[in-house]
Amino acid sequence: MTFLNSSERNWLVAGFGLLLVILCISSLISYQNVNQLVESSHKSQQTYEVIKNLDEVFAEITSAESARRGYIYLGNRSEFNRYKSAIDRIPVKLNQLHQQFLLEPKEFSSYQELQKIVLQRVELLNESIALYDINQTALMQQSILTSRSIALRERIHTVISQLSQQKQTELKQSIEQSKQSIQTRKVIEVWMMIAGFMAIFICFAALYSQVTQRHQAEYLKQKLMQQKEISDLKTHFFSMVSHEFRTPLSVVLGSVQLLIKGNSDWSEARRLKNLDRIQSAAKSMQQLFIDVLTLTRADAGKLECNPETIDLEAFCLNLVEDFEISTNHVIHFQTQGKYTHANLDERLLYSILSNLLANAIKYSEPGSSVLLLLDGTSDRIRFQVKDQGIGIPLEDQPRICEPFYRGQNLNYAAGTGLGLAVVKKCVELQQGVMTIESEKGQGTTVTIELARHLLTKDNRSISIHQNAIL
């Protein structure tokens, strides 16, 4: 989150913190719902087991009563065995009920009453069996015992029905309470989730607003900085242009004043020297004006390329001759290959080569040599300008083609920093490539590669006559 400031990070942390709290509360509510469902299920199971045991106790009592009658009135020994089995199972069922009703204090007294009645009836049944074993003809007494047993059976049935009804009612109430509680928790959970998402939305909306405002502020700051850079660049440009124009203008005015005030006995050589100074200063102003105009048109998208057939060898010789007149450097021109004609823009090519030769002369020791190399193939033209000058430091080379940028080792020599920028623009306009190889104190080599056949405005390639090529 390094791209966020402290306030934005706080909003983001608050949003995630709130989401975490909501998730924890929601998880707790879900956990409670699950526990209540488990508890309700467990209670339902216990209730059904109690009801089942109550029914089984009544069934065992009924089975024992039926077996007793079969044994007494029919004398069937198997009925006696069935009676004994039923009587033996009754204490087990009562013990299970005892354990279950211990957890229900409100119903334990009813269970104790049931247990008492069941044991009384078991005692009556055992008494009836014992009476039969002693006196099989005591029918009157058996009838009395049977009546008492039937009365106890009705009481047992009534108590069991009440207990079963009570347990079922409690179960229904418990299930209904669980449903309501779970439903309430679900509603709370849903509202909490809605409130949480609303709060998170508000947090992230505030964060987005802050980020947007910061980006807008940064954008405005960047625009202000760009405007300031443009303003500074304009100030620097006008300062540089005024300074660069002032020097040759001073030379022109001074030389003209000397010619006007000069005596008639001035020698021809002295007058020619002043005229040469005027001419050199005028050429400097002309070159500066051309460079500024070229960059301005290129930045405005109005610099055009109008290719035409050029005799490159003659073009380069004329250019070298022009430079040799006004400099004490030795300029060597070499041609490699037989392709010396090309379809290029003469005006742009002049800006390229004149600026490269001017830089090579300006930043080389007087009397040193400069090489201009022309090499042509069937589809490419390569120009190369080599000097033995001060070179370009490695750290300056990435920016050396920027307008007004000058290397750290060029402070002693006057210049505008426009030459290589103009060259780059003119090369790019002709779909060419410029490479610079240089080392501080070891000279500089600039290589320009251009397509030999450039298209005209109507996208037609100018054909070069075979005789001109050869």
Side-chain angles (χ1 to χ4, degrees), residues 18 96 108 133 271 365 387 421-422:
L18 182 59
Q96 292 178 354
F108 190 70
D133 290 339
R271 285 195 298 272
E365 292 292 332
D387 63 57
V422 171

Side-chain angles (χ1 to χ4, degrees), residues 79-325:
E79 291 295 321
F80 177 77
N81 293 333
R82 186 164 69 89
Y83 166 79
K84 290 295 293 181
S85 298
I87 291 297
D88 291 340
R89 287 194 294 268
I90 289 174
V92 177
K93 297 298 180 181
L94 289 175
N95 184 55
Q96 292 178 354
L97 287 172
H98 183 82
Q99 298 297 326
Q100 291 169 341
F101 278 103
L102 280 176
L103 303 176
E104 304 290 342
K106 294 180 180 181
E107 301 168 354
F108 190 70
S109 58
S110 298
Y111 162 72
Q112 287 179 324
E113 181 183 359
L114 173 66
Q115 183 182 28
K116 180 180 177 181
I117 298 172
V118 169
L119 292 177
Q120 287 177 0
R121 191 175 185 197
V122 169
E123 185 177 350
L124 285 175
L125 295 176
N126 288 333
E127 185 179 348
S128 176
I129 293 296
L131 179 61
Y132 177 77
D133 290 339
I134 295 172
N135 185 5
Q136 297 181 358
T137 61
L139 297 178
M140 181 62 68
Q141 294 178 353
Q142 289 289 355
S143 178
I144 294 172
L145 292 175
T146 299
S147 299
R148 290 173 59 188
S149 177
I150 292 172
L152 288 175
R153 184 186 66 184
E154 294 300 327
R155 289 179 60 189
I156 291 171
H157 182 267
T158 301
V159 173
I160 288 177
S161 298
Q162 290 175 350
L163 284 174
S164 298
Q165 186 66 32
Q166 188 174 356
K167 296 298 291 185
Q168 289 178 354
T169 302
E170 290 179 357
L171 178 61
K172 289 180 180 179
Q173 292 176 350
S174 176
I175 292 174
E176 189 63 28
Q177 290 177 356
S178 297
K179 287 181 178 180
Q180 292 178 356
S181 178
I182 291 172
Q183 187 65 28
T184 302
R185 290 195 187 102
K186 283 183 178 180
V187 172
I188 294 173
E189 187 176 2
V190 169
W191 278 108
M192 286 191 62
M193 291 298 292
I194 293 174
F197 280 115
M198 289 179 63
I200 293 170
F201 175 78
I202 293 172
C203 288
F204 279 94
L207 175 62
Y208 177 77
S209 176
Q210 285 195 354
V211 172
T212 302
Q213 291 177 3
R214 179 166 63 87
H215 286 172
Q216 290 177 349
E218 290 176 353
Y219 175 75
L220 291 176
K221 182 179 178 181
Q222 185 178 5
K223 293 295 289 185
L224 290 174
M225 290 179 63
Q226 289 178 351
Q227 291 180 358
K228 185 177 181 300
E229 290 178 358
I230 293 173
S231 178
D232 293 341
L233 189 62
K234 287 181 178 179
T235 302
H236 176 72
F237 171 74
F238 288 117
S239 175
M240 179 274 301
V241 170
S242 62
H243 178 270
E244 292 299 324
F245 272 109
R246 188 185 303 118
T247 301
L249 280 174
S250 299
V251 173
V252 171
L253 291 174
S255 298
V256 170
Q257 289 175 358
L258 288 175
L259 287 173
I260 294 174
K261 296 179 180 179
N263 297 326
S264 59
D265 58 349
W266 273 18
S267 64
E268 186 68 18
R270 189 173 182 181
R271 285 195 298 272
L272 290 175
K273 182 179 180 180
N274 279 279
L275 291 173
D276 288 340
R277 291 177 63 191
I278 294 172
Q279 183 182 24
S280 178
K283 286 184 177 181
S284 297
M285 288 189 294
Q286 182 187 23
Q287 185 61 46
L288 177 60
F289 177 77
I290 291 173
D291 289 345
V292 171
L293 186 61
T294 300
L295 281 178
T296 304
R297 288 179 175 176
D299 291 337
K302 296 181 179 181
L303 187 61
E304 297 181 352
C305 177
N306 300 307
E308 56 183 346
T309 302
I310 304 174
D311 185 345
L312 298 177
E313 189 171 14
F315 179 86
C316 292
L317 287 173
N318 291 332
L319 182 62
V320 169
E321 185 178 350
D322 291 341
F323 270 91
E324 285 181 336
I325 293 175

Side-chain angles (χ1 to χ4, degrees), residues 356 392 397 400-401 420 434-438 444-447:
L356 292 180
I392 305 172
Q397 292 183 18
I400 200 63
C401 291
L420 288 178
M434 178 177 69
T435 56
I436 300 176
E437 298 177 6
S438 183
T444 302
T445 300
V446 181
T447 303

Side-chain angles (χ1 to χ4, degrees), residues 14-79:
F16 278 110
L18 182 59
L19 179 61
L20 183 62
V21 170
I22 291 173
L23 289 176
C24 290
I25 296 175
S26 177
S27 299
L28 179 61
I29 293 175
S30 299
Y31 176 74
Q32 290 176 345
N33 286 340
V34 171
N35 279 345
Q36 189 157 10
L37 286 173
V38 172
E39 183 179 351
S40 178
S41 175
H42 182 64
K43 190 169 184 178
S44 299
Q45 183 179 359
Q46 287 181 336
T47 300
Y48 287 125
E49 287 180 356
V50 169
I51 294 174
K52 176 184 175 184
N53 287 334
L54 288 172
D55 292 339
E56 288 179 352
V57 167
F58 186 77
E60 295 296 343
I61 288 292
T62 302
S63 178
E65 174 66 23
S66 174
R68 181 193 70 84
R69 289 180 180 181
Y71 175 62
I72 291 175
Y73 294 110
L74 299 177
N76 192 339
R77 193 66 185 176
S78 61
E79 291 295 321

